[in-house]
Amino acid sequence: MRANLVALTALTALSTACGGAVPAAQEEAAPPAAPSPTKSPTKGALAGKTVVIDPGHNGGNAAHPEEINRQVDIITGRKACNTTGTQTDDGYQEHAFTWDVAGRLKPILQGMGAKVVLTRPNDKGVGPCITERAALGNEARADAVVSIHGDGAAPNGHGFHVIMPGLLPGHNDEVVEPSRRLGLSIRKAYQAGTGLPYSTYIGKDGLQTRTDLGGLNLSKRPVVFVECGNMRNRGDAAKLSDPKFRERIATSLADGIKRFLS
Ligand SMILES: [Zn+2]
C-alpha cells in the first residue's frame, strides 16, 4: 500500500515535478563517483566561469509534504515549493539520479577550471524551494545554470528533451536568447554523447519552451532544464539506472556547457 501511495505521489508529481528548480547551495557531502578530470585540450577552458548545477528534487521531499507543497510565486502563477520527482518502475528515484549525475558533472567542470555551485548539499534534505534554487544561480552570477531531471511520462514515450525559458517581458528579457543557445549546445552534446534520441512524446526536436517552471522563470542567468530521459520507459530507465551511462550523461552535459561558454 505504501508503495502504491508512493507511486501515486510520484505520478501526480509528474506534471509539476520537473518544475522543481533549485536550492541552497554548499558543497559538503560529495556525491558519488568521481570522473577523471578531462585532458589538456579542455583544461582551463572554463577558467573564470561559474556554473550552477541544480540536481532536481531532494531525498527528503517525500517525507515532508507540508514543506514542499507550500506555494511559492513563480511570476506566472503559484506553485509548490518543490516536488518529489518521479522514479523508475524498479524504484530508482529521480532525486537520486539527479544527485548522482550532478556529482559526476561537478568534477568534470572543475577540471576545466570552472567554479561549480550545487543547489543542494546532499540527497537527504528537503527542498530547497524552486525560488531559492533560482536565487542561488542569480546570486552566484552563474554563467550557466543547468537543472537536471528525469521525466515521468507515459511508458511508451522515450528520449530526452531540453526545456528553455519562454519570454516574460520585464522579467527575463536578457535571459531567453542565451538560454536558447545553451539549450542548443546541450542538446547537440547530449545527443552525440549519450546516443539517446530526441523525446518522442514532447517538444520538438528535443526542445521545449515553458513559462510554468519557477527555476526558469525566476532565473536572471542563462538557464535550461534537461530531462535526461523518461524514467517510466523501460529502455530509458535501464540506461539512466546504469552508472556507466550516467557518466556519459555527465560528460555530455559538460561538453555542452563548455561549448556554450567557450
Ligand atoms: Zn524532475
Side-chain angles (χ1 to χ4, degrees), residues 147-195:
S147 188
I148 301 168
H149 291 263
D151 210 358
N156 59 342
H158 66 106
F160 77 97
H161 66 287
V162 178
I163 310 173
M164 305 168 298
L167 179 64
L168 300 175
H171 291 284
N172 67 353
D173 307 63
E174 281 120 55
V175 165
V176 171
E177 193 276 330
S179 295
R180 180 167 181 82
R181 282 192 286 111
L182 173 61
L184 291 172
S185 183
I186 285 182
R187 179 185 65 166
K188 183 175 183 181
Y190 196 91
Q191 186 193 37
T194 67

Side-chain angles (χ1 to χ4, degrees), residues 17-19 56-57 85 94 148-150 227:
C18 292
H57 317 282
E94 182 185 354
I148 301 168
H149 291 263
E227 293 286 358

